[in-house]
């Protein structure tokens, strides 16, 4: 059983690009995205995954998550079954202390939105925050990828 604990933040500037040790292109779609429950298909460069996420009982900080690698050809087929609104982004990995921040730079309908996440082993675990980290948006449903697919960032203005 997998349990995900993460904090999510807006990003202040593009300095993360110079601090990143890796980047990859991600496309993801949602077969199901109901409140608190999602089934996601993700293609990350040349690898593919299916992920099932459960509801959060603590304002979005933690929830069950099960992720499995699947054949790329299966993922491409599953993407055709997804709900409208594919998420397209570049993920940058930035080391900060003993943690790695995943910085997502969105493209397409979510162009201009940049968010960072850090996974923790407990809800009260301390972490070193990089200088590019801004406002915390953990638990704000507008920033969930499953919500960005149906209510993209370009419509917020």
């Amino acid at each position: 059983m997998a349990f995900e604990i993460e904090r999510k933040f807006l990003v202040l500037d593009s300095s993360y690009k110079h601090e990143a040790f890796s980047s990859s292109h991600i496309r993801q779609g949602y077969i199901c995205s109901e409140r608190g429950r999602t089934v996601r298909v993700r293609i990350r460069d040349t690898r593919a995954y299916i992920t099932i996420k459960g509801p959060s009982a603590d304002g979005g900080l933690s929830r069950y998550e099960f992720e499995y690698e699947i054949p790329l050809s299966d993922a491409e087929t599953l993407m055709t079954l997804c709900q409208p609104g594919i998420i397209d982004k570049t993920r940058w990995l930035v080391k900060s202390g003993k943690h790695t921040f995943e910085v997502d730079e969105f493209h397409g309908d979510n162009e201009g939105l940049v968010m960072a996440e850090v996974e923790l082993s407990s809800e009260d675990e301390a972490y070193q925050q990089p200088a590019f980290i801004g406002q915390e948006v953990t638990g704000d449903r507008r920033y969930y990828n499953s919500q960005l697919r149906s209510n993209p960032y370009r419509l917020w203005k």
Side-chain angles (χ1 to χ4, degrees), residues 31-157:
I31 293 172
C32 170
S33 61
E34 296 180 13
R35 186 169 178 91
R37 292 172 175 81
T38 61
V39 178
R40 173 185 77 200
V41 177
R42 174 180 281 173
I43 298 172
R44 185 173 186 161
D45 293 331
T46 59
R47 298 178 80 175
Y49 307 87
I50 190 160
T51 306
I52 302 162
K53 292 188 178 194
S56 173
D58 57 8
L61 186 58
S62 60
R63 62 184 172 174
Y64 289 108
E65 178 183 88
F66 303 89
E67 184 169 82
Y68 306 98
E69 189 164 0
I70 61 174
L72 183 59
S73 59
D74 288 0
E76 292 287 2
T77 300
L78 287 171
M79 288 292 253
T80 66
L81 303 176
C82 288
Q83 298 168 324
I86 300 299
I87 299 293
D88 184 21
K89 60 189 178 181
T90 300
R91 173 161 291 167
W92 304 81
L93 301 180
V94 178
K95 191 85 168 145
S96 182
K98 67 176 188 170
H99 294 92
T100 298
F101 280 74
E102 297 177 339
V103 181
D104 288 343
E105 174 186 10
F106 290 84
H107 309 296
D109 285 345
N110 291 297
E111 188 77 36
L113 179 61
V114 182
M115 291 189 299
E117 296 178 353
V118 62
E119 289 200 17
L120 306 172
S121 56
S122 68
E123 293 180 8
D124 59 353
E125 181 181 358
Y127 57 93
Q128 187 178 7
Q129 193 166 294
F132 58 78
I133 294 295
Q135 175 188 348
E136 183 167 7
V137 293
T138 302
D140 186 334
R141 292 181 45 77
R142 293 177 302 161
Y143 294 100
Y144 292 2
N145 282 260
S146 59
Q147 293 298 308
L148 290 170
R149 134 196 112 63
S150 59
N151 184 25
Y153 186 67
R154 69 171 173 81
L155 298 179
W156 295 12
K157 299 174 170 105

